[in-house]
Amino acid sequence: MASPWTGAWQWLSDEYDGRLILTEGHFCYAFAPKGRRAPKGEQPTDAEAAALFRSFHAGAGRVTATRDGDEWLLDMVSSVAHHPADVGNTVRRAVRVEGDRMFGEHIGTDGTREATHVHQKLSDLGSGPLAGAWECMADHFDGMLLKTDTEFRYISVDAQRP
């Protein structure tokens, strides 16, 4: 039986729109501010393009989970991320699942906790032949695809970027 935190989730937030897929060993997420708009005109200015880039967050990698009473401690290590500085970072979260909702807290390196998210379940992991986590094996790209039977998240970046 799959852990209650696995599957596809939608972030419930007044400020952000985001999606997350968790398998027993991997994660992939993408989120951005609600109301985020592309610059007007055919070609954005450098400042507009940089602001749009900085407003979007995506990442994928490996997750290890430990049950701790009614919650799960998830250690998430990014292997591919929209922001290069996030690659290799570990984020620890405590999650608790109640019905179709997942409540989470970020756990700082000093052990302090900060409530960070509520997600609503979109789907279970699924059992189709493509459900699961897939790592990109291309020479020029780093990427990961996580797929349930009804949802998917994919992130890919140029392997040679600075």
Side-chain angles (χ1 to χ4, degrees):
M1 180 175 168
S3 299
W5 48 268
T6 60
W9 300 87
Q10 177 180 357
W11 191 5
L12 300 179
S13 168
D14 292 335
E15 299 175 29
Y16 293 94
D17 189 13
R19 305 291 187 278
L20 167 70
I21 293 182
L22 291 162
T23 71
E24 294 286 345
H26 293 85
F27 70 92
C28 189
Y29 68 87
F31 70 91
K34 286 185 175 177
R36 177 177 180 255
R37 299 189 195 289
K40 294 181 179 179
E42 289 185 30
Q43 185 68 31
T45 66
D46 287 348
E48 289 172 328
L52 196 61
F53 175 82
R54 287 186 187 106
S55 70
F56 176 79
H57 301 274
R62 298 197 181 273
V63 62
T64 56
T66 308
R67 188 162 194 165
D68 186 19
D70 292 337
E71 66 184 13
W72 291 84
L73 302 177
L74 305 180
D75 289 310
M76 305 165 75
V77 181
S78 295
S79 58
V80 59
H82 183 66
H83 295 284
D86 291 343
V87 174
N89 286 349
T90 299
V91 173
R92 177 168 259 202
R93 298 200 185 282
V95 298
R96 179 181 85 259
V97 178
E98 297 176 10
D100 68 345
R101 299 278 170 102
M102 180 171 60
F103 302 87
E105 295 177 309
H106 176 265
I107 301 175
T109 55
D110 61 358
T112 59
R113 292 179 175 224
E114 176 185 354
T116 58
H117 63 266
V118 177
H119 284 86
Q120 181 161 339
K121 194 157 210 177
L122 296 171
S123 75
D124 288 323
L125 282 178
S127 58
L130 296 178
W134 301 86
E135 290 187 44
C136 179
M137 302 297 288
D139 290 337
H140 302 291
F141 293 96
D142 291 330
M144 191 174 291
L145 165 71
L146 271 69
K147 187 169 181 337
T148 71
D149 287 342
T150 61
E151 299 281 330
F152 77 92
R153 301 294 165 266
Y154 179 71
I155 182 171
S156 176
V157 297
D158 186 326
Q160 305 303 318
R161 70 187 174 148

